[in-house]
Amino acid sequence: MHANTTEQPPPDKSETGRRSFIASFLAVMASAVLVLAPVGAGIAVLLDPLLRKRRRVGGAVKIANVESVPEDGTPKSFQVVQERRDAWTLYPPEPVGAVYLRRTEEGKVQAFNASCPHLGCFVNFVEGEFVCPCHDSFFQPNGERINPETCPSPRDLDELAIDEGHLEQGEVWVDFKNFRTGTSEKIPKA
Amino acid sequence: MTDSPNWLEHRTGLISFLHEALYENVPGGSRWRYVWGSALAFTFFVQVVTGVFLWMSYSPSAQTAWESVYYIQFEMTGGWLLRGLHHYTAQMMVVLLAVHLAQVVLDRAYQAPREVNFWLGLILALIVLALALTGYLLPWDQKGYWATKVATGIAGIVPVVGPWLERLVVGGPEYGHLTLTRFFALHAGVLPALLALFLVLHLALFRRHGVKAKDPHRAPDQFFWPHQVLKDAIACLVVLGIAFACVFFAGTELAAPANPAEEYPARPEWYFLFLFQMLKQPIFAGENEVWGAVILPGLVLLVLVGMPLWGRVKLGHWLNVGFLTFLFVGAAALTIQAMRQDQANEDFLAREAQEHVTAERVRVLAAGLGIPPAGAIQLLREDPLLQGPKLFARHCASCHSHASGNSSQDIVAEEVSAPNLHGFGTSGWIRGMLDPERIASADYFGNTIHAEGEMVAYVQDELSEEDPETVASIALALAAEGNNLASDEQDRTDEIEAGREYIADTCTNCHRFQEGDLEDYTAPDLTGYGGDEWLRGIIRDPAHLRFYGENNDRMPAFGTEDILKEEEIGLLSNWIRGNWYRPTSDTPEAAE
């Protein structure tokens, strides 16, 4: 698109095609830099959420003492109180979610994220089984789906890791995480 | 292949539009002196691009503006570069504005038939200045906050409508959320839209009248493309390069969060310094300020508007050139004068240095402790390192010094009449008090009623007979009481135990230590001596039985008399004891 491809003759009679071509080439290159520099700086910042490794605040968090978990194996829900970081703000410990704790036959404690793996509704424990009130997913007290073929949830309830060291001292500390919903695989968010 | 351009041309006219844009005739050929307008337009492009990206992370409210800018500047990938480009390109824009204006006047490009375009240019210039002004506030840091307060204060002295105007711009009687939302809407919405609109008109008229050649016959004519475009692009590259260099080498400042309670040596951005300096001239003092702040700039603008009218005749043109020269030289002289006065003003320099320390400290606190929901200002208010010296200077330094003797941080009492509290509670400080040479000096009880008291007599007559190790062990034991041991003293447990035994045996004639009723003792309790709880207690009420009781010299009860709030007493105690947040070695802040 430089001057010598047009039908209109260049007003500069002395201008040669080569000189004009080099100027055109350089002008295009320079313009590209001029556009890309600010855009590039902006794109880097825009992509920051993808590049950022999430700073985990807390890690394992204390949920309850072992005594407050029913001894008969019935799951009971507990609030998770944790520091939460939202971009620049660090919120003091506040409820960020809920877990179900239950005692297992081996005398251990099992923890489940109270969100349904289907679409994230809060699961209830009614008459011996977990029920999701949104789309009727049913789970056994050990978190397994009661009828995997017809259950809307693509996976069992999300079990959370419990810190063994604290458990021996009578405290339940859980590595609280949320997981992506709607997938058969258990994928932690961020 | 050949169909597609025709297809596009037929439907949009794009090809002929581009052709028209690029094959503008430049009489006398391409020249460097024509690049200024393009460079200016380029800076606007950079501001729009970087501004929109900044917008994606910026949050305009009194609790989040500084915090989000902090996050952009120090946490986000490339955020420092993005904000830096926006910051410095804005300044380049103001410079280019002045150069473009000068070049247009010198080349007589404002003469008929280009008057209207000259006026459009003046409107554009005012919009750019308004953008600069509104943008300066948005980080909500001390610098922008106080400088902008001056600007809106000037709006307030505009005759007749001033007070309403100020309230309207600020969004209320005081600065707050609405000031930021309004400034942000102006800065990112209204003003750029107006700028774009007037820029289109400006360019349309420029094309209509063509390039005003300084000397149309110096060389054969050329098209705008490619030679003038190349010159323009190179000029823009230089502008961009300067902005990059500033970002890399000067960095982009973020002062401490805006604090209405903490005055700041307010200065406008450097390109407004001449206005600031002009207002300091004696003839604009008091009620006359409106002349310098509003009427005179208005008159200058009026003259600029009139330039093309009388610039048609030779004399008028040279008057214009003279006026503009006078304006630029005057502004430069005032700017230099303003800078020189500040550089010669030690008080200003000291306060400016202190502001840098505060800004850096807030950054360290934000990085290390996280920013609470109430905003970074809370970090600043609750930091013993920042608040302790101010509280001490205000409430304690009429009697107490806090001075190591060789530091710029030393606070020396107006009239030393109580112990020097530098290092209070540490083993070194206590050894000084147990030193017969020093206990009656001005650093301890010298200027108090206790100079004649039993403690001084005991130290000088009896303790001086003990061997130095015993004295050192007492000092260690007392430092341990208040949790004031240095890290290399922690493991000297045998000496500490020996010291505790000595205290329990000997000092308890007057001092309570660990057990017994307060009523039975005449001197301060040594249990927890110099610890946070102890120190808060004595600041609260030194005449309490636990401390000096009726032997209290002149120290006020800062707590029980409601002179200080409990949080302030805590800040003082923590500062005196050297207890404030320090970055641990595995965080990057420790490198400082």
Side-chain angles (χ1 to χ4, degrees):
Chain A
M1 165 71 111
H2 44 89
N4 56 4
T5 61
T6 99
E7 293 141 26
Q8 196 179 339
D12 178 358
K13 301 284 184 294
S14 70
E15 181 148 345
T16 67
R18 176 182 293 182
R19 215 176 140 240
S20 175
F21 176 77
I22 293 172
S24 306
F25 176 75
L26 290 177
V28 167
M29 296 313 280
S31 304
V33 172
L34 294 175
V35 172
L36 290 179
V39 171
I43 297 282
V45 179
L46 178 70
L47 295 182
D48 177 78
L50 301 181
L51 304 171
R52 172 169 300 274
K53 273 194 188 154
R54 188 182 160 128
R55 256 204 276 178
R56 277 199 65 89
V57 185
V61 53
K62 184 184 168 181
I63 305 289
N65 291 323
V66 175
E67 300 92 74
S68 47
V69 183
E71 283 182 28
D72 60 0
T74 312
K76 187 178 170 190
S77 78
F78 293 88
Q79 274 194 337
V80 180
V81 177
Q82 204 174 20
E83 279 187 341
R84 186 168 61 87
R85 189 180 282 274
D86 178 3
W88 53 84
T89 305
L90 181 67
Y91 289 93
E94 61 179 13
V96 291
V99 292
Y100 277 99
L101 299 183
R102 73 178 270 267
R103 303 230 192 167
T104 62
E105 290 78 28
E106 301 90 57
K108 297 269 181 182
V109 174
Q110 210 176 10
F112 300 105
N113 191 319
S115 304
C116 180
H118 178 217
L119 286 168
C121 295
F122 201 100
V123 175
N124 299 320
F125 190 78
V126 190
E127 292 169 6
E129 53 197 29
F130 288 109
V131 188
C132 177
C134 293
H135 305 99
D136 292 342
S137 295
F138 292 92
F139 307 87
Q140 295 170 22
N142 68 3
E144 284 171 17
R145 283 165 294 173
I146 287 178
N147 194 344
E149 277 77 48
T150 59
C151 184
S153 176
R155 61 175 191 261
D156 299 337
L157 281 181
D158 295 317
E159 191 170 348
L160 299 166
I162 288 190
D163 187 286
E164 293 290 334
H166 282 108
L167 196 60
E168 283 163 20
Q169 292 158 23
E171 293 180 352
V172 185
W173 287 61
V174 170
D175 185 17
F176 183 72
K177 280 180 189 155
N178 286 309
F179 299 89
R180 296 227 324 245
T181 53
T183 57
S184 53
E185 215 180 321
K186 185 175 153 191
I187 306 163
K189 277 188 190 166
Chain B
M1 264 295 270
T2 50
D3 270 2
S4 58
N6 288 339
W7 186 92
L8 198 62
E9 168 63 17
H10 188 60
R11 279 150 189 85
T12 64
L14 184 70
I15 308 295
S16 55
F17 173 78
L18 277 176
H19 194 271
E20 206 175 303
L22 291 173
Y23 294 98
E24 166 84 7
N25 187 44
V26 181
S30 65
R31 297 192 70 176
W32 287 107
R33 62 190 305 132
Y34 305 147
V35 302
W36 303 110
S38 301
L40 208 43
F42 169 68
T43 56
F44 178 54
F45 164 77
V46 173
Q47 293 307 78
V48 170
V49 171
T50 53
V52 167
F53 281 113
L54 284 169
W55 188 348
M56 293 180 192
S57 306
Y58 175 72
S59 171
S61 86
Q63 265 89 53
T64 58
W66 186 91
E67 291 71 12
S68 57
V69 174
Y70 160 84
Y71 192 69
I72 293 168
Q73 179 77 32
F74 297 111
E75 301 265 346
M76 296 186 92
T77 318
W80 59 276
L81 179 62
L82 182 66
R83 175 166 174 259
L85 278 182
H86 196 75
H87 179 80
Y88 285 110
T89 306
Q91 303 184 28
M92 307 281 296
M93 212 169 178
V94 177
V95 175
L96 288 170
L97 211 58
V99 178
H100 187 46
L101 174 67
Q103 178 253 332
V104 164
V105 172
L106 277 178
D107 286 1
R108 300 167 199 253
Y110 63 128
Q111 288 173 338
R114 296 183 173 82
E115 301 98 319
V116 173
N117 215 17
F118 181 75
W119 294 331
L120 287 174
L122 288 180
I123 292 174
L124 284 167
L126 290 179
I127 296 173
V128 169
L129 293 181
L131 277 165
L133 190 83
T134 48
Y136 202 44
L137 177 72
L138 296 182
W140 203 244
D141 62 353
Q142 282 283 74
K143 229 180 159 179
Y145 179 86
W146 288 99
T148 311
K149 270 208 151 178
V150 175
T152 52
I154 287 172
I157 62 168
V158 169
V160 189
V161 294
W164 288 298
L165 187 65
E166 182 179 5
R167 208 178 165 110
L168 204 61
V169 171
V170 171
E174 297 294 339
Y175 269 44
H177 292 318
L178 289 176
T179 321
L180 274 168
T181 50
R182 280 167 183 245
F183 270 61
F184 186 53
L186 286 174
H187 184 79
V190 178
L191 294 171
L194 285 176
L195 187 60
L197 175 70
F198 280 97
L199 188 59
V200 168
L201 294 177
H202 194 61
L203 289 175
L205 280 193
F206 165 69
R207 281 307 167 105
R208 181 184 168 85
H209 301 306
V211 176
K212 166 77 177 165
K214 167 89 175 151
D215 178 11
H217 305 298
R218 63 183 275 278
D221 289 5
Q222 280 178 324
F223 284 135
F224 184 57
W225 174 266
H227 296 291
Q228 187 62 46
V229 172
L230 180 59
K231 286 192 169 71
D232 287 0
I234 290 171
C236 296
L237 276 180
V238 171
V239 168
L240 189 67
I242 294 173
F244 264 97
C246 290
V247 177
F248 278 105
F249 297 114
T252 315
E253 187 180 2
L254 178 63
N259 187 352
E262 208 60 66
E263 53 113 39
Y264 182 87
R267 295 288 180 273
E269 198 55 308
W270 63 267
Y271 42 79
F272 286 132
L273 261 185
F274 69 98
L275 283 172
F276 158 86
Q277 184 67 12
M278 195 171 72
L279 294 182
K280 288 205 311 199
Q281 306 301 322
I283 60 164
F284 298 125
E287 294 272 307
N288 287 338
E289 180 161 34
V290 66
W291 283 92
V294 182
I295 297 174
L296 197 61
L299 289 175
V300 167
L301 190 63
L302 218 56
V303 173
L304 290 175
V305 170
M307 273 187 172
L309 302 179
W310 52 76
R312 305 179 72 147
V313 291
K314 216 167 198 170
L315 177 67
H317 172 68
W318 287 114
L319 274 178
N320 286 338
V321 173
F323 178 72
L324 210 58
T325 310
F326 169 74
L327 220 54
F328 283 157
V329 170
L334 284 170
T335 306
I336 291 168
Q337 193 187 27
M339 289 177 166
R340 279 207 177 148
Q341 282 184 3
D342 280 346
Q343 289 310 306
N345 182 344
E346 281 183 18
D347 181 50
F348 172 81
L349 292 178
R351 283 198 296 171
E352 204 184 33
Q354 180 56 43
E355 290 304 330
H356 285 297
V357 171
T358 308
E360 179 56 26
R361 176 69 183 164
V362 176
R363 194 182 77 67
V364 169
L365 291 172
L369 301 178
I371 299 172
I377 185 103
Q378 194 183 334
L379 292 174
L380 193 145
R381 287 186 180 139
E382 293 178 355
D383 181 34
L385 181 60
L386 287 175
Q387 302 307 329
K390 290 180 200 161
L391 287 168
F392 191 92
R394 205 173 301 145
H395 296 286
C396 317
S398 51
C399 304
H400 291 279
S401 290
H402 186 282
S404 62
N406 53 13
S407 162
S408 60
Q409 313 291 319
D410 282 355
I411 301 172
V412 178
E414 295 155 25
E415 195 178 326
V416 179
S417 57
N420 180 349
L421 295 179
H422 186 267
F424 171 78
T426 60
S427 62
W429 190 89
I430 297 165
R431 272 202 312 279
M433 185 167 65
L434 302 181
D435 182 339
E437 306 284 320
R438 296 185 59 199
I439 183 163
S441 76
D443 272 346
Y444 292 93
F445 291 133
N447 297 327
T448 71
I449 59 167
H450 307 295
E452 310 289 324
E454 290 175 47
M455 182 71 184
V456 171
Y458 168 75
V459 169
Q460 291 180 336
D461 301 340
E462 295 180 43
L463 197 63
S464 53
E465 306 293 317
E466 299 282 356
D467 62 286
E469 273 125 62
T470 306
V471 177
S473 71
I474 300 170
L476 277 176
L478 284 177
E481 275 298 300
N483 237 340
N484 290 321
L485 287 175
S487 51
D488 58 352
E489 293 172 341
Q490 307 275 6
D491 51 3
R492 293 163 71 174
T493 45
D494 292 347
E495 290 167 79
I496 292 168
E497 199 40 52
R500 289 173 63 89
E501 278 169 25
Y502 186 96
I503 294 167
D505 287 346
T506 317
C507 305
T508 46
N509 287 337
C510 306
H511 295 276
R512 178 180 177 273
F513 185 61
Q514 304 295 354
E515 53 191 16
D517 286 337
L518 286 173
E519 293 87 51
D520 300 338
Y521 301 93
T522 56
D525 187 4
L526 295 183
T527 315
Y529 176 80
D532 183 49
E533 206 272 321
W534 193 96
L535 194 49
R536 284 177 194 242
I538 196 168
I539 298 171
R540 237 177 261 134
D541 184 9
H544 189 274
L545 268 186
R546 185 179 165 198
F547 303 103
Y548 284 105
E550 56 195 20
N551 293 330
N552 180 40
D553 195 351
R554 292 138 297 151
M555 178 156 157
F558 288 97
T560 49
E561 288 173 25
D562 283 331
I563 303 169
L564 288 174
K565 291 198 281 286
E566 189 55 38
E567 307 88 76
E568 295 174 309
I569 293 175
L571 285 166
L572 267 174
S573 165
N574 280 316
W575 177 66
I576 290 171
R577 298 178 62 250
N579 182 28
W580 55 74
Y581 171 75
R582 291 174 177 83
T584 48
S585 54
D586 55 351
T587 57
E589 285 74 43
E592 300 148 309

